[in-house]
Amino acid sequence: MIVKILDKKVPDTMVVPLAQDAQLADRLVEIAARTGADAATLQNDFRAEAKEIFVLYATGSPGRRLYLCGMGKKTGFQEIFSTLRLFCHRYKSKLPQKVGFDLRHFPQESLARYTEAATSGALLGLYDIGKYRTETKPEAEFGGPKSEINIVLPTKGLKEMEAPARRGQIFARTYLSLFDLLNAPGNYKTPEQMASWAVKAGKECGFYVHVLNKTALTEQGLKALAAVGQGSPNLPVLIVLEYGTKTRKTKTPVFGLVGKGVTFDTGGVSLKPSTNMHLMKSDMGGAAAVLGAFMVAAHLQLPVRMIGVIPAAENMIDGLAIKPGDVIGSLSGKTIEVTDTDAEGRLILADGLAYLLKQETPDVLIDLATLTGSIIRAIGTQAGGLFTKSDQLADMLSTAGMECGERLWRMPMWDEYGSDLKSDVADLRNFTGKPMAESISAAKFLEHFTAEHPHWAHLDIAGMAFADSDFATSKSATGYGVRLLIEFIEKWSNITETPS
Ligand code: BES
Ligand code: MN
Ligand code: ZN
């Protein structure tokens, strides 16, 4: 797929995203005049509702068609992105080799952002989730290597839209490969396979990856990660990512990112019910977000330093698996009574956080994890849970999330929520035993391993990483977190211009 921006010689097939705003009626009059349709009938039949798609054929011009795509009331990054994604997803098999996406009617000051959104959305619409199907689909014209996405823009300022179009492509291509990783079944992504995936991504995108295998984990004292992995023949690993140089000339900010990489979560001996257990192949959504952030940062060559740590394990049940009540050690030196083996994410994150802080002193420390079902019960699937004591960090993360459509909602971190984590036999226990506020007590557990870092945030993305959508029949990967992290990193570092 080739992406081009252009102002003239538009292709025969054009797509126009339209909002239900004050200009809609006039725009439809124009469109009717261009295609030979009756304006009043068109205004009656197309209302620009979200997800509404309407096709018009130009009289007397065979092959010329115009797809009107409704966005609902609002025009913004998220609306353009999801509207064009849905359009390409639904129509890809019918489209010709070249398709134009018309953005000429949007205000000049929003064009960079919308160009990025349109490019990203159109490319993502081509995602094929059926990676393990044997039937071969007839090759579609649109989506093949020679096919083209044309972003149609006003002549004025056309050149400046190249960088946003490139940025949109970088995000989309990153999401496309992350989707494959997240949607992959557990038997195709063991911790070691995920590590190989990371190594390959590092080589392709330009960041450094090294992997601590089981032996190294034991030698270096990552006892909590080793304990979670001990019930599986697929051994746990720690994946370490590095981007940007350590020798800092100017004051380049350093970001530490930790992502939960449980490649499958059965719950262990505290076994999960079987009904939705298959969804637990997505328990590495935090790891995927961290990987994606490194991929995008490297492609954009952001002037920052990033260190990423992905503790990866399969939470299985067998004769060697940890049992409820077992006491385990951890890299930090603290001992933990495992009162519930299904609260495994916080155990591996404890070692991930401690490992990162041993290697480096980041200015900002963020962990992302599909950590609790409780965050879904609390705020559903419209936002990730944000846990931090830093108001500055909370504001900037929330704003970044609002602006790119990967929303966050702040949760309390009052110390009282941590009191039930006291253990009689060890330094602390991993589950309070009480069926309430579990996402908050999970955050309070993690806090013990952050060395009181002033700018630490924990993002519970259990409701966001793998979700229902228009793009699949059951839950599937969303890529949540990647854009959020990149746009946050840019904000925190004052990077305003889009690098080209
Ligand atoms: N991976 C799960 C959390 C989860 C649930 C992610 C639903 C995505 C969708 C996590 O390891 C877990 O099992 N958490 C327990 C914690 C409890 C034992 C304190 C939970 O939420 O039930
Ligand atoms: Mn679990
Ligand atoms: Zn889990």
Side-chain angles (χ1 to χ4, degrees):
M1 178 60 82
I2 302 159
V3 176
K4 280 189 189 158
I5 57 168
L6 45 85
D7 57 345
K8 1 187 193 308
K9 285 212 187 133
V10 304
D12 273 348
T13 297
M14 290 288 286
V15 183
V16 194
L18 289 165
Q20 276 176 328
D21 56 19
Q23 289 97 48
L24 179 64
D26 288 349
R27 294 228 162 91
L28 292 177
V29 171
E30 256 169 64
I31 288 168
R34 264 200 276 158
T35 53
D38 174 65
T41 317
L42 181 60
Q43 285 168 344
N44 182 69
D45 290 5
F46 177 74
R47 301 294 172 92
E49 269 148 28
K51 302 185 189 177
E52 184 182 359
I53 300 176
F54 194 88
V55 60
L56 279 173
Y57 302 105
T59 21
S61 318
R64 263 192 67 199
R65 32 171 129 69
L66 197 59
Y67 288 98
L68 309 183
C69 297
M71 293 196 291
K73 294 210 166 56
K74 253 186 78 203
T75 309
F77 184 91
Q78 178 59 27
E79 285 74 20
I80 301 215
F81 170 81
S82 53
T83 301
L84 298 185
R85 181 177 177 193
L86 183 66
F87 170 79
C88 286
H89 172 78
R90 278 208 205 142
Y91 285 83
K92 59 190 166 204
S93 63
K94 293 179 187 164
L95 295 172
Q97 217 172 46
K98 260 191 207 180
V99 179
F101 296 84
D102 198 344
L103 306 183
R104 286 173 296 193
H105 53 299
F106 292 123
Q108 193 75 33
E109 70 271 14
S110 311
L111 282 179
R113 222 30 203 155
Y114 292 178
T115 297
E116 181 184 345
T119 313
S120 258
L123 276 170
L124 271 195
L126 299 173
Y127 183 66
D128 175 18
I129 199 171
K131 287 280 138 63
Y132 306 88
R133 287 203 184 131
T134 54
E135 44 150 358
T136 42
K137 278 196 189 151
E139 204 165 306
E141 283 190 59
F142 186 66
K146 281 201 191 127
S147 66
E148 284 187 20
I149 287 173
N150 292 169
I151 306 292
V152 182
L153 294 159
T155 310
K156 184 174 163 256
L158 185 68
K159 209 87 210 90
E160 285 90 82
M161 296 303 141
E162 248 149 46
R166 181 172 172 267
R167 183 179 164 99
Q169 280 192 70
I170 289 170
F171 271 104
R173 295 192 200 286
T174 300
Y175 278 126
L176 287 171
S177 55
L178 282 182
F179 285 177
D180 282 345
L181 181 68
L182 248 152
N183 291 328
N187 60 331
Y188 283 82
K189 58 165 174 223
T190 62
E192 280 171 341
Q193 281 171 318
M194 205 161 69
S196 312
W197 196 98
V199 169
K200 196 163 151 260
K203 281 203 186 105
E204 282 168 12
C205 307
F207 57 89
Y208 176 72
V209 180
H210 83 114
V211 180
L212 305 194
N213 62 15
K214 175 68 205 306
T215 319
L217 294 184
T218 316
E219 276 169 12
Q220 298 198 27
L222 284 86
K223 292 178 183 159
L225 175 56
V228 170
Q230 79 191 27
S232 172
N234 296 316
L235 301 178
V237 297
L238 188 86
I239 309 168
V240 184
L241 320 170
E242 265 180 75
Y243 167 76
T245 49
K246 209 163 187 170
T247 45
R248 290 193 268 163
K249 276 193 229 106
T250 47
K251 270 184 66 205
T252 325
V254 181
F255 297 89
L257 303 176
V258 180
K260 172 178 173 183
V262 172
T263 58
F264 195 85
D265 183 11
T266 64
V269 175
S270 314
L271 193 62
K272 283 183 182 299
S274 61
T275 319
N276 283 319
M277 201 200 274
H278 62 286
L279 301 177
M280 282 301 127
K281 67 179 186 180
S282 67
D283 209 13
M284 31 58 76
V290 170
L291 279 167
F294 273 78
M295 291 162 80
V296 172
H299 277 299
L300 291 175
Q301 298 202 300
L302 293 185
V304 298
R305 175 164 165 78
M306 288 159 65
I307 168 153
V309 169
I310 297 172
E314 199 178 54
N315 189 22
M316 294 293 282
I317 172 167
D318 83 353
L320 292 174
I322 37 170
K323 304 171 293 299
D326 281 3
V327 174
I328 62 171
S330 70
L331 181 60
S332 71
K334 292 186 172 128
T335 55
I336 306 162
E337 182 189 6
V338 182
T339 45
D340 193 315
T341 65
D342 198 11
E344 85 296 343
R346 61 197 79 180
L347 299 175
I348 70 169
L349 287 172
D351 274 359
L353 287 162
Y355 185 86
L356 198 151
L357 292 173
K358 255 181 102 170
Q359 305 299 311
E360 190 112 7
T361 316
D363 297 299
V364 177
L365 176 62
I366 301 177
D367 75 80
L368 298 95
T370 48
L371 204 62
T372 66
S374 159
I375 194 68
I376 309 177
R377 290 189 289 276
I379 59 172
T381 56
Q382 297 304 320
L386 164 61
F387 301 81
T388 181
K389 282 182 170 165
S390 160
D391 293 341
Q392 191 193 354
L393 191 51
D395 288 348
M396 231 181 251
L397 276 165
S398 303
T399 310
M402 285 309 289
E403 285 173 4
C404 72
E406 296 184 357
R407 287 181 295 209
L408 285 170
W409 193 255
R410 193 172 182 186
M411 303 286 289
M413 276 294 271
W414 301 310
D415 288 338
E416 288 81 354
Y417 281 111
S419 57
D420 288 332
L421 291 168
K422 290 196 185 88
S423 164
D424 287 333
V425 296
D427 294 333
L428 72 166
R429 58 181 181 183
N430 74 332
F431 176 46
T432 60
K434 289 183 187 160
M436 55 190 229
E438 286 157 286
S439 69
I440 311 176
S441 53
K444 294 308 287 184
F445 179 91
L446 295 178
E447 195 178 29
H448 287 275
F449 303 90
T450 56
E452 293 178 18
H453 192 288
H455 295 300
W456 163 64
H458 156 60
L459 313 185
D460 193 337
I461 63 169
M464 304 309 287
F466 209 65
D468 291 318
S469 72
D470 296 317
F471 311 109
T473 50
S474 53
K475 288 189 194 299
S476 64
T478 62
Y480 179 93
V482 179
R483 195 175 270 283
L484 172 68
L485 284 173
I486 293 294
E487 297 196 355
F488 162 75
I489 287 172
E490 289 172 331
K491 263 191 205 311
W492 190 275
S493 328
N494 278 314
I495 303 169
T496 45
E497 77 212 67
T498 316
S500 56

